[in-house]
Amino acid sequence: MSAPDFAAALLAWYDAGHRALPWRDTRDPYAIWVSEVMLQQTRAETVIGYYQHFLKRFPSVSALADAPEQELLKAWEGLGYYSRARNLQKAAKRIVSEHGGSLPSDAHALAALPGIGPYTAGAVASMAFGQCTAAVDGNVERVIARVAGIREEVTVPSVRRAIRAHADALVPAERPGDFNNAMMELGARVCVPGTPDCEACPVRARCDAHREGDADALPVKRRARAPLVENRGVAIVRWGGRVLVQRRSERMLNGMWQFPNALNASQPDALLRALRLSAEWAGEAGEAKHVFTHRVWEMRLHKFIAQSPLEISECRWVDASGLDELPLPTAMRAAKKAAKDWLKEDITHA
Ligand code: SF4
């Protein structure tokens, strides 16, 4: 099967019934870019609602460039990997100042912008501007490793370059964007991790792994490191009808709001010491767990009653509606619920 035959077979399969996703109905480079950034670490079904809300809230590159950071993080709340949102805005500012507010059409110029890697650059260049370039994400990497019979570790840079070259060689001049979408769709629905459904595959006549019978062993990957488990105490500190929240300055979740928390301080005394707070313990508020890419937070939640409305830098006292207005990461969802439940109860201060 030649490259044109491969593309024809794949596009015919795609045209016969692909998933309807809103970003596939547009050629607007800004909308496609936003969708691709959201899709980097989040499932398509989850992205749909965020994508629609985000475009309504920030309808253009300049609206995004001018957005207050807290509003941007709020619109991103729940999607995780918040550096994506910040980079999106940094790139929007550069597009306004260096490209007159319009995304450049060339994949190299796109890849020079913050947060836009070769995959996103290829996706936007092909889908919005019809450029003949591949968009290689994890799905496409797997398909190419199998089709081309690449049996070396795919994270090795030279192997990655070889996969990229194979992918570029397959992209047709006609409908390159649809072709890239079709490759991703094939990887998501048919050429799945583990055992692929080769009988349903439109390109099996061109597939080396299918011929050799080792598709389930490809792509070859180094085993991922086990995530680091962190035990954390989380403090829900209350004064009257408000609770204490703190703006994070750490690299991870920077700019998001959280309940004060500390590593290896799951007991109330240790937690107060670590946070340098003086407050009265008012009971446990359960446990919670959040899995990040390389670490897991195992959290024990405690309620405290403050002895005064402390003034602490980067902290704020907020009521229940204030909790809804601030961008809080998903890791704080259980603590937020516990705080809101507690705020419905009356308390007396000593
Ligand atoms: Fe993947 Fe099987 Fe199709 Fe090859 S034939 S691309 S292994 S689904």
Side-chain angles (χ1 to χ4, degrees):
M1 201 190 254
S2 64
D5 290 343
F6 182 100
L10 184 66
L11 283 166
W13 169 82
Y14 181 70
D15 290 341
H18 57 264
R19 289 181 295 176
L21 297 167
W23 45 87
R24 288 184 178 164
D25 294 335
T26 179
R27 295 291 294 261
D28 174 7
Y30 171 63
I32 291 172
W33 172 41
V34 168
S35 73
E36 288 300 336
V37 173
M38 287 185 171
L39 287 163
Q40 280 165 16
Q41 268 106 358
T42 312
R43 291 161 47 83
E45 292 70 23
T46 309
V47 163
I48 294 173
Y50 282 96
Y51 167 81
Q52 288 163 335
H53 171 74
F54 195 92
L55 289 185
K56 209 176 274 174
R57 177 64 196 78
F58 311 114
S60 63
V61 173
S62 57
L64 173 60
D66 292 341
E69 190 197 39
Q70 293 291 297
E71 278 183 42
L72 174 66
L73 293 175
K74 187 70 192 166
W76 207 266
E77 185 184 273
L79 272 176
Y81 303 96
Y82 295 91
S83 56
R84 290 186 292 171
R86 267 195 217 91
N87 279 331
L88 207 52
Q89 187 175 48
K90 267 193 220 154
K93 288 182 176 171
R94 288 259 305 268
I95 293 166
V96 168
S97 64
E98 295 172 19
H99 300 279
S102 300
L103 270 86
S105 60
D106 174 70
H108 292 290
L110 284 163
L113 293 167
I116 300 191
Y119 163 75
T120 309
V124 175
S126 63
M127 293 167 200
F129 299 110
Q131 304 265 321
C132 188
T133 184
V136 183
D137 70 349
N139 281 326
V140 175
E141 184 179 79
R142 180 171 59 257
V143 173
I144 296 288
R146 288 168 170 173
V147 166
I150 294 175
R151 295 177 174 79
E152 292 161 84
E153 225 252 86
V154 288
T155 54
V156 172
S158 59
V159 179
R160 197 148 259 171
R161 280 197 296 277
I163 287 181
R164 170 90 216 180
H166 275 285
D168 272 333
L170 289 173
V171 181
E174 290 284 316
R175 303 179 64 195
D178 285 347
F179 176 85
N180 284 332
N181 270 322
M183 284 289 275
M184 287 182 245
E185 182 105 354
L186 185 74
R189 282 176 41 204
V190 177
C191 194
V192 293
T195 307
D197 185 5
C198 298
E199 290 316 304
C201 180
V203 295
R204 64 181 181 277
R206 163 78 191 245
C207 180
D208 188 80
H210 179 55
R211 208 164 32 244
E212 298 296 321
D214 64 351
D216 53 357
L218 298 179
V220 177
K221 281 192 173 166
R222 208 185 317 130
R223 277 189 45 197
R225 243 182 327 125
L228 183 71
V229 178
E230 291 185 354
N231 291 305
R232 288 191 163 260
V234 179
I236 302 167
V237 186
R238 183 169 171 185
W239 173 258
R242 293 178 297 159
V243 287
L244 190 66
V245 287
Q246 181 182 39
R247 193 163 185 268
R248 276 182 74 88
S249 53
E250 292 88 336
R251 196 163 158 265
M252 192 171 84
L253 304 176
N254 186 293
M256 300 293 285
W257 290 80
Q258 63 178 3
F259 292 90
N261 62 83
L263 183 62
N264 296 331
S266 47
Q267 295 306 316
D269 290 351
L271 182 55
L272 287 178
R273 260 198 314 279
L275 297 173
R276 298 183 192 186
L277 281 178
S278 149
E280 183 193 334
W281 186 64
E284 284 206 14
E287 293 180 349
K289 179 174 173 173
H290 187 76
V291 181
F292 297 95
T293 313
H294 299 300
R295 67 186 69 202
V296 178
W297 281 7
E298 292 195 341
M299 294 168 276
R300 182 162 294 183
L301 282 37
H302 292 283
K303 298 191 280 192
F304 296 96
I305 296 176
Q307 286 151 1
S308 64
L310 313 150
E311 294 281 341
I312 308 171
S313 72
E314 297 294 320
C315 284
R316 235 188 240 181
W317 290 97
V318 291
D319 60 12
S321 62
L323 279 176
D324 287 334
E325 281 157 23
L326 292 175
L328 261 75
T330 309
M332 290 288 132
R333 191 177 278 163
K336 177 178 167 182
K337 181 175 182 315
K340 287 178 82 174
D341 287 346
W342 192 24
L343 285 170
K344 288 179 194 151
E345 298 169 19
D346 287 332
I347 56 160
T348 46
H349 286 279

